Amino acid sequence: MTDHLELKQLSLDDDEYQDKTNTAYFNVDEIPHASELPPLNGTSDRSIFRESMCVAKQQIGSYVIGEQIGKGGFASVFKGLNTLTGDFVAIKRFDKSRISKEQLSSISTELDLLQRLKHESIVTILGQEENEHYIFIFLEFMENGSLATILNNFGTFPESLICTYVDNVLKGLAYLHSEGVIHRDIKAANILINKAGDAKLSDFGVAGEIKESDKRYSVVGTPYWMAPEVIEISGSVQVSDIWSIGCTIIELLTSTPPYFNLNPMSAMFRIVQDDKPPFPKNISNELLDFLDRCFCKNIEERATAKELLSHPWITKNRTILIHHQRNSSFKQHQQSFPSLDQISKTISVFVSTNDDSENSSHNTSRSSSFRDDDDDSKTNTIAIRPTATNHQSSSSNSPTTNKGDNLENKKAQMEISLLKLKNKELEGELKKESEKLIESEKKYKEILLSAMHYIYIVDSTMNITGGVKQTISDEVAHLRTVMRDQIEIEYFNAFPDDNMVPRFIQRRLTRDTLIHIPKKALEAQKRREKEEKKKEKKDKDKKDKDKKDKDKEKKKSPDSSIIDFSNSSSSSSSNSSSNLLSPTSNSSSNNNNSRSPMVIGKRTTSKNQINITNEINQHITNNVKLTPPTIVNNPNPYPKSP
Ligand SMILES: Nc1ncnc2c1ncn2[C@@H]1O[C@H](COP(=O)(O)OP(=O)(O)OP(=O)(O)O)[C@@H](O)[C@H]1O
């Protein structure tokens, strides 16, 4: 067994040990300056002083003893460090000089049991050491101490939290009991909590194994948590721990176990006498039932740990707990999510790294040191930029590696740059090619469209004029149709998605329907032309004949033509006419006129025109006021006789 302890240290009691070792070992800032200390071996060097302080540490095997974290009836408990693994541990130290032989045997029982029992709800033993003065047990470090300490620090717990702890403890107990072990000292002080909040059973000092007989006949444990059968020395059994679980629940709910206001003897008496210990008020029905099952006087009726694990109080709370755990684990994860700031920083660094490599590809003559400095000025995060990191670390360690690394980096960067350049060239070529294609396609489309458009205009012109101006021969028309079809097919094949095609085809269809019209129209036109020419000739002939007749008539009488329209004889009409047109014409003449108004009118108008012309001429010569011509106007051609 290795013992590195200084004899000087062993002579100190616990309090003195703590005062003199803890601060010096764990808080370097409190170490006085070397100049303030008396010289060691004639030197005041600070490093020597530190060495001297380190000698004061207690090292047991690979464990270094730290500050005290607890104290029980038999042992002091310290925080320890495993110098091999870096794990923190709890070191339970028993002072040999202060323990009886009986207690020594209980320590060995605890050691044996802990070494045999391995369960997630039982504190794990990591090893043991012994020297002349102490027995050391190295235990799994339970960061949050005992439930009793937490109860002292934080006050009583809600049912749900108690249930969580009890659930853990019951699992440990179910395991212990299945292994034939009774803990016999279940209480808040012996339930330890790790940093994750898991409860584990500890302190197996009074634990006992049921061997040949079913019961252990001794009064062990802490009075207030003791089961009646243990007090009565009728023998402790596994379910005795269940009674203690009931007492611990009340302890966690109220901060004290039942009968705590009484002295231990009175309390023990009441435990045996009373049907059940008094329950706290305002607890759930499930917990009431749970406690009823724990505080059964009859051990046969008392629930086992396994049974209680499926009690509604436990199962219901377990579901709630799982929910809470999920929530909190999500929150934990959420906390570990990078912040927006971090993300943007990372992106900016990534971009800057890429920029750097791009810059280096364009300017390979830049030195790596220049690049690193430049990087640092852009962002403080260097860790994700391998070039900068490599350069920095290697420059401080080995110049040879630094040179090699830099060369490698440069080479890699050059390769990347070359690849990028090649990619860019290819990209450019492809772009040009596709641009050419697009351009030629565009041109081709334009040609086809304008050709179609031309043909369309030609056709529509013919259609609009009703085929009159269609002067192309059938041969040319046929060629045009073939060309038009070819162009449209070509267009359709080249640009199948273009909606221009259906529009052209549609127009063409309309045109094709109209194309038959000109033929008929042409025939009709020819007929019309012929008829018109015939009519024109006929009219001309008639005009010529009329002219000749008129001339003949004029030679005979100037008014012959007018006279012709009259039913009267030429002589009488001539007379009457002169009479009628005369302003001094008598009424008898008027009477005659009234019998044939149509003829009279005609004649009158003609005469009036002559009269007006004469009057105008006269007026102009005499400068006399013009008076309207007197038109024979008889409102009543047949006046009534008086
Ligand atoms: N593994 C551990 N991790 C952290 N703290 C511990 C550990 N073991 C014990 N302790 C602390 O030390 C205290 C005393 O430990 P423990 O109860 O085992 O000593 P004990 O002398 O056996 O006590 P008791 O008088 O109950 O028998 C505990 O209440 C707890 O606060």
Side-chain angles (χ1 to χ4, degrees), residues 204-273:
F204 286 77
V206 290
E209 276 189 284
I210 299 165
K211 289 170 185 168
E212 281 137 31
S213 62
D214 284 338
K215 295 174 183 176
R216 281 178 64 95
Y217 299 95
S218 55
V219 185
V220 283
T222 315
Y224 301 99
W225 289 265
M226 273 182 189
E229 65 274 8
V230 179
I231 296 167
E232 286 180 316
I233 325 176
S234 52
S236 57
V237 283
Q238 283 102 326
V239 287
S240 303
D241 285 338
I242 300 302
W243 182 282
S244 304
I245 283 284
C247 296
T248 308
I249 291 170
I250 292 172
E251 179 189 6
L252 296 175
L253 278 169
T254 65
S255 80
T256 54
Y259 310 116
F260 201 68
N261 55 333
L262 305 175
N263 64 53
M265 282 307 289
S266 307
M268 284 198 280
F269 178 77
R270 291 288 299 274
I271 290 167
V272 176
Q273 286 299 306

Side-chain angles (χ1 to χ4, degrees), residues 507-524:
R507 279 182 183 173
R508 207 193 80 185
L509 281 172
T510 322
R511 213 165 52 235
D512 281 349
T513 345
L514 291 171
I515 210 115
H516 301 289
I517 298 169
K519 288 176 188 172
K520 289 176 187 174
L522 193 67
E523 286 165 14

Side-chain angles (χ1 to χ4, degrees), residues 1-5 59-62 93 96 127-138:
M1 161 146 203
T2 332
D3 185 4
H4 298 284
L5 285 173
Q59 183 148 357
I60 318 296
S62 59
R93 190 185 71 177
K96 281 182 178 176
Q128 64 174 93
E129 290 285 352
E130 192 180 340
N131 64 19
E132 196 184 340
H133 304 279
Y134 297 105
I135 296 165
F136 301 97
I137 301 176
F138 308 111

Side-chain angles (χ1 to χ4, degrees), residues 69-75 77 90 92 139-140 142 146 189-190 192 203:
I69 51 173
K71 197 168 181 176
F74 306 102
V77 183
K92 197 169 177 178
L139 297 164
E140 168 189 4
M142 301 294 283
S146 74
N190 288 334
L192 303 181
D203 195 0

Side-chain angles (χ1 to χ4, degrees), residues 397-601:
N397 294 334
S398 154
T400 327
T401 327
N402 173 24
K403 209 175 174 184
D405 280 355
N406 275 343
L407 277 171
E408 278 300 306
N409 284 340
K410 269 190 177 177
K411 204 180 150 192
Q413 278 190 348
M414 288 283 283
E415 276 171 12
I416 291 165
S417 306
L418 271 171
L419 274 172
K420 275 189 177 178
L421 275 174
K422 272 184 188 172
N423 267 351
K424 272 190 180 169
E425 272 172 29
L426 269 174
E427 243 175 56
E429 274 172 28
L430 274 172
K431 210 178 166 186
K432 272 182 196 167
E433 205 62 35
S434 68
E435 272 171 3
K436 268 186 200 169
L437 268 173
I438 290 166
E439 197 54 40
S440 59
E441 216 176 32
K442 211 173 143 188
K443 273 185 187 165
Y444 185 49
K445 194 176 183 176
E446 273 169 12
I447 291 165
L448 290 177
L449 282 174
S450 56
M452 276 194 281
H453 193 62
Y454 178 72
I455 290 169
Y456 173 71
I457 286 171
V458 170
D459 281 359
S460 53
T461 314
M462 289 191 302
N463 292 330
I464 289 162
T465 52
V468 177
K469 288 181 181 175
Q470 186 173 1
T471 49
I472 49 170
S473 66
D474 286 347
E475 226 177 301
V476 173
H478 175 71
L479 272 172
R480 181 188 52 76
T481 315
V482 169
M483 197 172 80
R484 181 200 64 199
D485 286 346
Q486 271 182 353
I487 291 169
E488 282 187 357
I489 288 164
E490 195 72 25
Y491 190 90
F492 189 79
N493 285 336
F495 313 102
D497 298 327
D498 199 328
N499 59 8
M500 285 291 282
V501 178
R503 210 163 77 213
F504 268 94
I505 288 170
Q506 204 181 355
R507 279 182 183 173
R508 207 193 80 185
L509 281 172
T510 322
R511 213 165 52 235
D512 281 349
T513 345
L514 291 171
I515 210 115
H516 301 289
I517 298 169
K519 288 176 188 172
K520 289 176 187 174
L522 193 67
E523 286 165 14
Q525 182 64 24
K526 276 179 182 173
R527 262 201 315 274
R528 265 201 306 276
E529 273 179 17
K530 219 175 176 180
E531 276 170 14
E532 270 176 20
K533 274 180 185 173
K534 216 174 166 182
K535 203 184 166 191
E536 268 176 28
K537 205 190 168 196
K538 203 180 169 184
D539 286 347
K540 204 187 168 190
D541 290 345
K542 202 187 168 190
K543 272 182 185 173
D544 289 345
K545 199 191 166 195
D546 285 349
K547 205 182 172 186
K548 275 178 187 175
D549 288 344
K550 273 180 185 175
D551 288 344
K552 274 181 187 175
E553 282 290 320
K554 273 182 182 174
K555 280 175 185 173
K556 287 178 188 173
S557 161
D559 290 326
S560 60
S561 61
I562 302 167
I563 295 162
D564 276 347
F565 285 100
S566 146
N567 292 329
S568 337
S569 64
S570 56
S571 59
S572 66
S573 32
S574 165
N575 289 334
S576 63
S577 152
S578 61
N579 290 335
L580 279 170
L581 285 170
S582 164
T584 53
S585 59
N586 57 35
S587 60
S588 63
S589 308
N590 283 341
N591 286 345
N592 286 337
N593 286 341
S594 64
R595 283 184 199 118
S596 51
M598 203 176 115
V599 176
I600 291 165

